[in-house]
Structure formats: C-alpha cells, structure tokens
Amino acid sequence: MSETSPLPADLSRLRVIATYLRLELDRVQLRIAEAEQQEQEAARRATARAVPPPAWTVQMNVSADPHPVAIHHGECAVGQPRVRPITRRGAIEALTAGVEACALCRPDRELRID
C-alpha cells in the first residue's frame, strides 16, 4: 500500500469504511431523488399557473341540443364543467341576445350591459 494513502492497511477496517461509504452513497442518492421530485413538482406548478383562465366563459345546457345558458367571468366556478371560453365580443353579443349573466360573478357589470 502507498505511504500517501489515508486508508488503513487491515482488512476489517477497510470493510467498515466500505460499509460506511455505501450507506452514505445511499443517503446521497435518496436526497438526489427527493430534490428531483421537488423540481418536477415546482415545474408542474409553474406550468399549471402559466395558462391563464379565459376572460369570459359561456355555460351550455346539457340537453341534446346544447345552447348558451349563462355568461361568466373566466375564473367563476359556477357552471363547471359545462363552460367554454368565449371572447369579450361574444360575451357582449350573448348578453344582449338574452343569455343570462351569472348572478354570482356578474359579468354584465364589467361589460356594461344593462
């Protein structure tokens, strides 16, 4: 064995060191897996936040002949999951054509529809 080596010469102590190093390597690999999982979750949350909700939605009825029932702000939860994105102009046209405004989010106020 080299004189510059910090390792002991006897077999029993070398085995103890090898066991210790295997245990430490297992701990490091476990920590790497945890860190990778945290990064994946953060990326998933960032992606989920990156898609903004539509500004306006139209709620459709559930009959065989679907037609608009109400207009909502994009973040309004009323009418889910039967809502579809709609443009501002489409929301105004629907409200002026007689489609109801949601009583909770009141899109008619912001769109200034009387």
Side-chain angles (χ1 to χ4, degrees):
M1 185 168 275
S2 167
E3 300 246 337
T4 60
S5 175
L7 296 174
D10 64 299
L11 184 59
S12 64
R13 289 194 292 170
L14 286 171
R15 286 189 173 142
V16 168
I17 292 170
T19 301
Y20 170 78
L21 291 175
R22 275 193 292 277
L23 293 172
E24 286 299 303
L25 181 58
D26 289 344
R27 286 182 54 211
V28 170
Q29 289 173 336
L30 179 62
R31 182 63 189 115
I32 287 171
E34 291 170 353
E36 287 173 342
Q37 184 178 4
Q38 289 173 354
E39 284 183 5
Q40 290 172 354
E41 289 173 4
R44 189 180 71 246
R45 283 191 303 270
T47 302
R49 281 183 261 138
V51 179
W56 309 101
T57 58
V58 58
Q59 177 183 347
M60 305 300 281
N61 71 346
V62 291
S63 70
D65 182 29
H67 63 276
V69 176
I71 303 297
H72 301 272
H73 279 284
E75 295 182 4
C76 182
V78 175
Q80 295 291 342
R82 298 184 324 254
V83 296
R84 304 291 179 262
I86 191 171
T87 63
R88 178 182 175 87
R89 181 181 185 138
I92 292 170
E93 290 174 359
L95 289 169
T96 56
V99 177
E100 291 185 33
C102 173
L104 181 65
C105 67
R106 299 301 307 261
D108 52 336
R109 289 182 182 170
E110 188 172 332
L111 294 169
R112 296 188 178 107
I113 305 294
D114 295 326

